[in-house]
Amino acid sequence: MRSFNLRQVKLRPGEEHREEIELELEPFELGGERYLPVPGTLPALLAITKATSGLVFDLRFTTRLHGPCYRCLGDAVLEVPVDAREYQAASNPEGVEELRMAYLDEDNLDLGTWGRDAIALELPDKILCRPDCAHTEETGDTRWSALESLREQL
Ligand SMILES: [Zn+2]
């Protein structure tokens, strides 16, 4: 699912609704490159807790992102555990500016966008195919010089 309708959940203050959902994630762009969550549909835990002052939303899942390595453009796979929390203040009659949850439109919780943004927050600055991919060129140089010295010996 990409969205969740809150109307199906009736909570009293202090109560919590927990549900295993099938979360649908779309590919997204990062630094001009395209990253694909695999699988596109994955199990996630959605929890909604009613506090006296509002609603607390928790979304938990682990996804694997497939995309190009920042340095060598080879295939990179990154496991991303996500544990996101959002808060929606209860509406008050005074109409005071409240803390609004960005992914809530009326009773509709936009899980696709929330999930994608939550993944983005967990990502490192650079996605690499392996932690030491930065050293690829150095290794290449060493090999070349080894080959050069071998050639000199012949
Ligand atoms: Zn790489």
Side-chain angles (χ1 to χ4, degrees):
M1 63 171 73
R2 290 206 180 130
S3 64
F4 182 85
N5 197 313
L6 289 182
R7 256 174 289 181
Q8 58 191 297
V9 179
K10 296 266 174 278
L11 292 173
R12 289 188 196 156
E15 282 183 346
E16 183 193 57
H17 173 85
R18 254 170 196 277
E19 190 172 330
E20 280 273 348
I21 56 165
E22 291 287 312
L23 180 63
E24 261 184 87
L25 292 171
E26 286 177 53
F28 62 101
E29 298 237 331
L30 196 78
E33 301 290 351
R34 201 171 144 92
Y35 290 86
L36 196 67
V38 178
T41 301
L42 68 165
L45 179 73
L46 173 69
I48 303 164
T49 313
K50 186 161 183 138
T52 40
S53 56
L55 288 169
V56 180
F57 298 87
D58 286 289
L59 184 63
R60 232 169 283 159
F61 62 90
T62 297
T63 184
R64 292 164 81 87
L65 276 191
H66 290 237
C69 169
Y70 178 81
R71 292 192 201 273
C72 71
L73 294 182
D75 290 334
V77 181
L78 187 70
E79 191 167 284
V80 190
V82 170
D83 191 348
R85 170 166 282 193
E86 290 286 332
Y87 178 73
Q88 164 78 52
S91 49
N92 57 53
E94 293 88 27
V96 180
E97 195 62 32
E98 306 142 6
L99 198 56
R100 308 287 303 176
M101 189 210 180
Y103 311 108
L104 194 60
D105 181 20
E106 303 270 318
D107 287 329
N108 213 30
L109 184 58
D110 185 354
L111 291 169
T113 308
W114 184 17
R116 192 194 58 200
D117 288 356
I119 292 172
L121 287 176
E122 298 295 329
L123 294 181
D125 292 343
K126 298 173 175 66
I127 293 176
L128 301 174
C129 59
R130 56 175 198 276
D132 62 347
C133 180
H135 304 300
T136 304
E137 281 177 41
E138 276 174 42
T139 316
D141 288 347
T142 317
R143 272 188 209 143
W144 273 116
S145 54
L147 201 67
E148 284 298 322
S149 57
L150 193 70
R151 197 176 287 163
E152 280 163 21
Q153 284 167 27
L154 290 173

